[in-house]
Amino acid sequence: MRGLAPVFRSFVRWARRPLQPAVRLWRRNLQLRVVAFTLLMSVGVVLLLGFVVIGQVKNGLLDAKEKAAENQATTGFSIAQQQANRSQTQDATGVGSQNQAEDSGAWLTTLVQQFASGGNGVYWIATLSPGADDARFGEGVVNAHGPRSSGSLLPQASIPKSLSDAVESHTGALKQYTTVVTDDGKAPQPALAIGKRLTDINGKTYQLYYLFPFGQEAKTLGLVKGTLATAGIFVVVLLGAIAWLVTRQVVTPVRMAAGIAERLAAGRLQERMQVSGEDDIARLGESFNKMAQNLQVKIQQLEDLSRMQRRFVSDVSHELRTPLTTVRMAADVIHDARTEFDPVTARSAELLQNQLDRFESLLSDLLEISRFDAGAAELAAEPIDLREVVRRVVDAAEPLAERKGSHVAIRGDAQPVIAEVDPRRVERVLRNLVVNAIEHGDGRDVVVRLATADGAVAVAVRDYGVGLKPGEATRVFNRFWRADPARARTTGGTGLGLSIAVEDARLHGGWLQAWGEPGGGSQFRMTLPRTAGESLRGSPIPLEPDDSRRNRGLNSSGLPVRAATGSVPVPRTAGPAGPGPTGQSGAQIPRIPQRPPAVPRSPSADPAAFPGSGARVVGRMDSVREDDS
């Protein structure tokens, strides 16, 4: 059964594919749904009304037929018995039994012919005598009361045995619905049989039956059914047309409003609805036009304010660059000659140089973030190998890593990682992530991992420093946010690096996400589409690394840990033992121990990946908290 499940799902998808346009039309077309529901309800009402009317007509026809048949049969039974009694009174000679039997048979034949002559085409007449043989009646006493019938009626096949038995045991007239069978080749037809036990001219009992066919009533009922069906179809079509016209009057303005709203969203702010009349639809159009007018005014004001802001930032930056260049030149001269100054003045020259660097960096970041706010940022995508970008960033950050006592390791660079990206922006994002990891890594190693799978590429930067507290990973991308508010604003970066980085990732159509745990470090993951303009469905690298506290706990307890793109060992802290390069302080820089090479495998996309600057933070005591923002 498990092997048949994929085949069954494929068959279901294949069967649903032709129906998708109709389903999409049904979901999107309100007028179609209203007309369809109106037609369905109309058909239901017509069917219910038809059943009620046909039932009442049928009952009325049956009641009228039964009353007329009972009257006709009662009269016939009375006449037949009167004739028998009259014959018994007139017959006083005492004829022998054989002649009496012959007279009884002839009398029954004459009686049937006499009664049938007045009801030709309206009813049949039949006589039965229990125990008589219809094959040889008229040849003896036993067969004198054999079955007789008018026309081509087969009495024994047409009169039910249950009715014959009941008539034999009762003195009154009985009736029962039956099916008339004839020997002329016509199809059997329903009829009403009314019978009564009587006596003939010799005092012998026999059963006289009237069979009234329902041919005329069936024709009448068929005519009624046809009339109702024709009227029902006409009413349903008429109601459908009325529903179409009525809903069109309501849906057309709504569709017009939807189209105008789409054009307003596209920037055509001068679009307005045509309003006619004073009804609710007209009021809706007037309200919509007022809303569009107010939106146009507000958007125009915001555009003017945005242009003023961009012009202000541009003018200020331009005006600041000239004095900043002059101050920079003077500061460089003072900084170069600081050895000739006293210690206090020399230290002031160094502080001036550092703050000028921060000021230039802040000015550049402000200009870049203003471009994102104004929507003026452009993407110059080209196919590149991300391994080269990562290596350039790591090489540039190597002096800082040596000063901090850290080492930056690259994993997953055995195979090319090709993607259509903007090299300048990707390099800026990775430089920001690597520098932050080194600065907050407490002298421990930093791991940069690359992977590609399912139309996406990812670069993750893992550090083992102070980490992030619960809730901080969602705020780390906010502008000018700091993890430690007590830190002086004069230290660290400008506070705009991660904000610019997440905007660069979004400009590529990608994600920049964060994970962290207190005391266990953090991991920042950048996921980009391999081809520019495509959508992401997942990330090749899990957001939470395999060496987190939770995954290490699951692994030690024997539970499976989700697959990752490579093994990341837990680095050891700085210490006097072990080989490795030496930093400025003389302490050895820790190295990540090398593992035996594993069999290369293709990473799979992380199904838990989510867009935006979402983050996952694991708190102390292995408490897990997810934040999807």
Side-chain angles (χ1 to χ4, degrees):
M1 294 300 294
R2 293 181 179 178
L4 294 177
V7 178
F8 179 74
R9 287 194 295 268
S10 300
F11 176 76
V12 171
R13 287 194 298 268
W14 175 81
R16 291 174 55 186
R17 189 176 295 113
L19 301 177
Q20 289 180 352
V23 173
R24 190 180 301 111
L25 179 62
W26 174 264
R27 291 178 178 176
R28 294 174 60 90
N29 198 321
L30 176 62
Q31 188 176 8
L32 177 62
R33 293 202 301 271
V34 171
V35 173
F37 286 134
T38 303
L39 290 176
L40 289 177
M41 290 186 290
S42 301
V43 170
V45 171
V46 169
L47 289 177
L48 180 61
L49 182 62
F51 285 137
V52 172
V53 172
I54 290 175
Q56 292 183 352
V57 171
K58 182 178 180 181
N59 293 333
L61 291 175
L62 290 178
D63 292 341
K65 185 71 173 181
E66 288 183 3
K67 290 180 181 179
E70 290 176 356
N71 293 333
Q72 182 70 33
T74 301
T75 303
F77 295 151
S78 177
I79 295 174
Q81 190 63 45
Q82 290 177 2
Q83 290 181 359
N85 294 335
R86 187 180 307 111
S87 297
Q88 290 178 2
T89 303
Q90 294 176 356
D91 189 8
T93 58
V95 184
S97 60
Q98 180 68 27
N99 294 332
Q100 292 177 355
E102 293 177 355
D103 293 340
S104 296
W107 182 83
L108 287 176
T109 302
T110 303
L111 179 67
V112 170
Q113 294 176 354
Q114 179 183 354
F115 282 9
S117 62
N120 187 18
V122 179
Y123 55 84
W124 285 283
I125 299 296
T127 61
L128 292 178
S129 297
D133 187 3
D134 60 342
R136 293 174 298 126
F137 66 89
E139 296 182 0
V141 176
V142 179
N143 301 322
H145 292 81
R148 289 167 172 80
S149 63
S150 62
S152 58
L153 177 70
L154 298 177
Q156 290 183 332
S158 302
I159 299 174
K161 183 69 168 54
S162 58
L163 178 61
S164 177
D165 296 340
V167 169
E168 186 66 25
S169 61
H170 290 77
T171 58
L174 299 178
K175 61 182 179 181
Q176 182 177 342
Y177 291 103
T178 183
T179 302
V180 173
V181 180
T182 58
D183 58 358
D184 56 359
K186 294 182 180 180
Q189 55 180 319
L192 176 63
I194 302 177
K196 187 177 181 180
R197 181 164 56 90
L198 302 174
T199 58
D200 59 4
I201 58 177
N202 294 320
K204 302 292 184 179
T205 61
Y206 71 97
Q207 298 175 358
L208 179 61
Y209 291 94
Y210 277 81
L211 289 91
F212 297 90
F214 292 109
Q216 188 63 34
E217 287 73 13
K219 292 180 180 179
T220 304
L221 191 60
L223 179 61
V224 173
K225 290 181 179 180
T227 304
L228 288 177
T230 304
I233 295 174
F234 178 76
V235 169
V236 169
V237 174
L238 183 61
L239 289 177
I242 293 174
W244 179 271
L245 294 176
V246 172
T247 54
R248 182 181 178 85
Q249 294 180 359
V250 178
V251 172
T252 299
V254 175
R255 291 177 178 173
M256 185 185 303
I260 294 175
E262 292 177 355
R263 291 192 288 273
L264 287 175
R268 299 170 60 180
L269 302 180
Q270 71 280 1
E271 292 288 337
R272 297 294 183 270
M273 288 186 62
Q274 295 181 357
V275 179
S276 60
E278 298 179 357
D279 54 6
D280 295 336
I281 300 298
R283 292 173 55 191
L284 173 63
E286 293 177 356
S287 302
F288 187 89
N289 290 339
K290 291 180 181 178
M291 179 191 67
Q293 181 66 27
N294 294 333
L295 286 176
Q296 183 179 9
V297 173
K298 294 296 183 181
I299 292 175
Q300 188 65 35
Q301 292 177 354
L302 291 176
E303 289 180 350
D304 295 340
L305 181 61
S306 177
R307 283 194 296 268
M308 292 176 59
Q309 182 181 7
R310 291 197 300 268
R311 183 175 179 180
F312 173 78
V313 172
S314 177
D315 293 343
V316 168
S317 62
H318 178 73
E319 295 298 331
L320 285 178
R321 286 187 180 277
T322 301
L324 182 60
T325 303
T326 305
V327 174
R328 164 64 70 181
M329 293 175 59
D332 290 341
V333 173
I334 296 174
H335 185 268
D336 293 339
R338 67 184 183 282
T339 56
E340 302 176 1
F341 302 149
D342 58 277
V344 177
T345 306
R347 179 57 181 166
S348 299
E350 293 178 355
L351 292 176
L352 177 62
Q353 188 75 9
N354 293 334
Q355 293 306 313
L356 281 174
D357 293 338
R358 284 176 49 81
F359 186 74
E360 288 182 345
S361 178
L362 177 61
L363 183 60
S364 299
D365 290 345
L366 285 174
L367 289 175
E368 185 65 24
I369 207 73
S370 65
R371 294 190 186 96
F372 285 114
D373 292 340
E378 297 181 356
L379 185 68
E382 60 182 56
I384 61 171
D385 191 348
L386 292 182
R387 297 181 301 173
E388 301 177 359
V389 180
V390 171
R391 289 165 185 165
R392 287 200 303 267
V393 171
V394 171
D395 293 342
E398 191 65 30
L400 177 62
E402 292 179 356
R403 289 197 302 270
K404 296 291 184 178
S406 299
H407 173 71
V408 182
I410 303 176
R411 296 287 182 266
D413 58 343
Q415 300 293 331
V417 183
I418 308 297
E420 294 182 2
V421 297
D422 190 334
R424 180 180 64 87
R425 296 184 183 277
V426 172
E427 184 173 353
R428 180 169 59 190
V429 173
L430 296 179
R431 182 171 61 250
N432 191 289
L433 297 181
V434 172
V435 170
N436 285 345
I438 295 174
E439 289 182 346
H440 299 86
D442 290 345
R444 295 180 175 87
D445 291 352
V446 175
V447 179
V448 181
R449 177 177 288 108
L450 297 93
T452 177
D454 297 339
V457 295
V459 181
V461 180
R462 174 78 163 105
D463 67 82
Y464 300 89
V466 295
L468 296 173
K469 298 178 182 178
E472 290 183 348
T474 59
R475 300 192 299 269
V476 72
F477 299 102
N478 296 341
R479 299 176 185 180
F480 301 107
W481 183 84
R482 290 176 180 268
D484 186 5
R487 290 177 58 187
R489 182 60 66 180
T490 57
T491 61
T494 63
L496 295 174
L498 289 178
S499 300
I500 297 175
V502 75
E503 294 293 343
D504 283 330
R506 290 172 180 170
L507 188 62
H508 286 82
W511 311 332
L512 182 59
Q513 299 161 291
W515 169 93
E517 57 185 5
S522 60
Q523 176 166 291
F524 286 78
R525 180 185 67 181
M526 179 183 65
T527 308
L528 304 177
R530 186 183 301 172
T531 304
E534 292 186 353
S535 300
L536 291 177
R537 293 174 295 179
S539 179
I541 301 177
L543 184 58
E544 181 178 353
D546 290 341
D547 54 3
S548 64
R549 289 197 191 99
R550 189 182 70 157
N551 286 339
R552 292 202 305 270
L554 293 176
N555 195 16
S556 61
S557 62
L559 296 176
V561 182
R562 61 183 175 181
T565 57
S567 58
V568 182
V570 180
R572 51 189 176 86
T573 57
T582 304
Q584 293 179 353
S585 60
Q588 286 187 338
I589 301 174
R591 297 289 185 179
I592 296 179
Q594 299 294 328
R595 290 190 177 184
V599 179
R601 53 193 176 93
S602 176
S604 60
D606 182 10
F610 42 87
S613 58
R616 183 171 186 170
V617 182
V618 180
R620 298 184 184 278
M621 303 299 293
D622 296 337
S623 62
V624 180
R625 176 181 178 272
E626 292 192 5
D627 197 346
D628 297 352
S629 64

